[in-house]
Amino acid sequence: MQLAVELDEVSYGYLPAQPVLDDVSLRIAAGEFVAVAGPNGGGKTTLLRLVVGLLQPQSGTIRVFGDTVERSTHRSLIGYLPQRAQLAIDAPVSVREVVSAGRVSRSRLVGPLRASDRAAVTAAIERVGLGHRADAPLATLSGGQQQRAFIAKALAGAPRLLILDEPTAGVDADAQEALAALLAELHRELRVTVVYVSHEFGAIEH
């Protein structure tokens, strides 16, 4: 069995002698859909930031698809939707421009997107059901549609691991159900490993 995420006795704290995570071990198999639920301040976001390499563990080891997170090659394997992912509401940026930023891990940091990048961006937008709003300003979309745009951004890099931190925060019940159905479809069709974090048990109960 291939492991997508592996934590061995990982600890981390923002202040001395005040650990947020203490001696955490975890195994997530490739292809699993895993929900992590718990109260605000419980360390969920810290856990994800360690997995994606934004923080370094103070002790223990983290591996993503067999490589330690210190290896730069693992970043292209992860699509990450951070908590409250958003831009300034008045920013004149379109859905397509937001999603295009998700190709950074797969393409050059400067210069125009290649044809393959543009095709991947279009496919990601279509997959989340925003093809008809691809060139609309992000600020004109509903909260649920904006979250779909950010999920498309995470998908644009063709990740093997999709990490979502509170993806339904701030959206209504109908949008939560629609996002849940979308994630189930992505997991089933793309066979991507999904780690879904929420403080709302109802959002991940099913």
Side-chain angles (χ1 to χ4, degrees):
M1 177 184 66
Q2 184 185 26
L3 293 177
V5 178
E6 183 178 5
L7 278 70
D8 285 318
E9 300 179 348
V10 169
S11 296
Y12 184 86
Y14 295 98
L15 297 173
Q18 293 186 22
V20 176
L21 300 174
D22 188 16
D23 196 25
V24 174
S25 294
L26 173 68
R27 306 285 186 275
I28 298 176
E32 280 195 286
F33 192 131
V34 174
V36 180
N40 289 326
K44 304 183 304 299
T45 294
T46 298
L47 174 69
L48 298 187
R49 289 172 66 85
L50 286 163
V51 171
V52 301
L54 295 175
L55 299 174
Q56 298 300 316
Q58 292 165 345
S59 64
T61 304
I62 303 173
R63 294 182 177 84
V64 175
F65 293 105
D67 287 335
T68 59
V69 294
E70 290 81 5
R71 290 173 58 95
S72 61
T73 54
H74 94 283
R75 297 183 186 276
S76 65
L77 304 177
I78 299 176
Y80 177 44
L81 178 66
Q83 191 172 12
R84 291 185 296 274
Q86 58 184 337
L87 300 173
I89 193 64
D90 294 326
V93 61
S94 70
V95 171
R96 190 181 305 278
E97 288 168 326
V98 169
V99 177
S100 294
R103 290 298 294 177
V104 168
S105 65
R106 295 283 181 177
S107 63
R108 299 166 295 177
L109 295 179
V110 295
L113 292 179
R114 297 166 297 192
S116 59
D117 296 320
R118 294 194 297 272
V121 167
T122 297
I125 294 171
E126 292 286 348
R127 185 169 284 280
V128 301
L130 290 179
H132 64 299
R133 303 300 307 274
D135 296 305
L138 185 73
T140 65
L141 272 61
S142 68
Q145 289 175 325
Q146 289 183 10
Q147 285 297 74
R148 284 175 174 264
F150 287 114
I151 291 172
K153 176 186 174 184
L155 291 174
R160 294 172 61 192
L161 171 63
L162 184 60
I163 294 179
L164 308 166
D165 193 358
E166 302 279 4
T168 58
V171 301
D172 60 30
D174 288 343
Q176 287 188 20
E177 291 183 7
L179 284 170
L182 170 64
L183 292 174
E185 178 183 330
L186 295 175
H187 176 247
R188 181 177 63 253
E189 295 185 0
L190 299 181
R191 300 185 183 277
V192 64
T193 307
V194 179
V195 180
Y196 181 122
V197 158
S198 179
H199 72 277
E200 301 174 290
F201 284 86
I204 52 86
E205 182 177 10
H206 68 281

